[in-house]
Amino acid sequence: QVQLVESGGGLVQAGGSLRLSCAASGRAFSRYRMGWFRRAPGKEREFVAAITWSSGRTYYADSVKGRFTISRDNAKNTGYLQMNSLKPEDTAVYYCAGTDVGRLPTYDYWGQGTQVTVSS
């Protein structure tokens, strides 16, 4: 089992920045991918960004490219989502998720979510 705990959400004005963290503990995977997803009120959950832990290769949704940056700290077993130039449409509950690369597109492990609210 893998446990994921997010932190760093909050309220920010449009144009501002936030950094989300996702601390992972438990089982270790040799081919681990961490992803960030979000669910806005009344909408389906959507993919935001992902990173392959071993290589550092990153993936982004078109809606956040150039504004959000995903990264990881191997020593701390923690992933990050740096969000800049935030827009009101970025308001959502953000979830960290993890999986073995071989299980993609399924993510087997999920955090509890953290609220991000961007005011106009």
Side-chain angles (χ1 to χ4, degrees):
Q1 287 283 51
V2 174
Q3 292 78 43
L4 302 173
V5 179
E6 303 104 331
S7 60
L11 173 65
V12 65
Q13 289 189 332
S17 299
L18 282 174
R19 188 177 80 157
L20 305 182
S21 299
C22 177
S25 61
R27 178 183 174 186
F29 293 97
S30 60
R31 304 180 305 160
Y32 182 70
R33 181 169 293 176
M34 175 176 283
W36 288 94
F37 294 77
R38 66 187 181 187
R39 187 193 301 270
K43 294 187 177 181
E44 297 290 319
R45 184 176 65 197
E46 64 175 353
F47 168 78
V48 176
I51 186 167
T52 299
W53 209 257
S54 56
S55 66
R57 184 174 180 178
T58 58
Y59 309 82
Y60 295 96
D62 287 343
S63 59
V64 306
K65 277 181 184 176
R67 299 188 299 123
F68 290 11
T69 302
I70 190 171
S71 62
R72 89 285 194 221
D73 184 328
N74 287 337
K76 296 182 178 180
N77 273 348
T78 300
Y80 304 97
L81 186 67
Q82 177 67 43
M83 305 186 294
N84 299 329
S85 302
L86 282 161
K87 305 174 181 180
E89 51 263 44
D90 293 317
T91 294
V93 177
Y94 283 71
Y95 297 90
C96 171
T99 194
D100 183 273
V101 170
R103 292 275 299 159
L104 289 169
T106 298
Y107 280 79
D108 290 313
Y109 306 102
W110 293 84
Q112 80 284 358
T114 186
Q115 176 71 46
V116 171
T117 303
V118 185
S119 62
S120 57

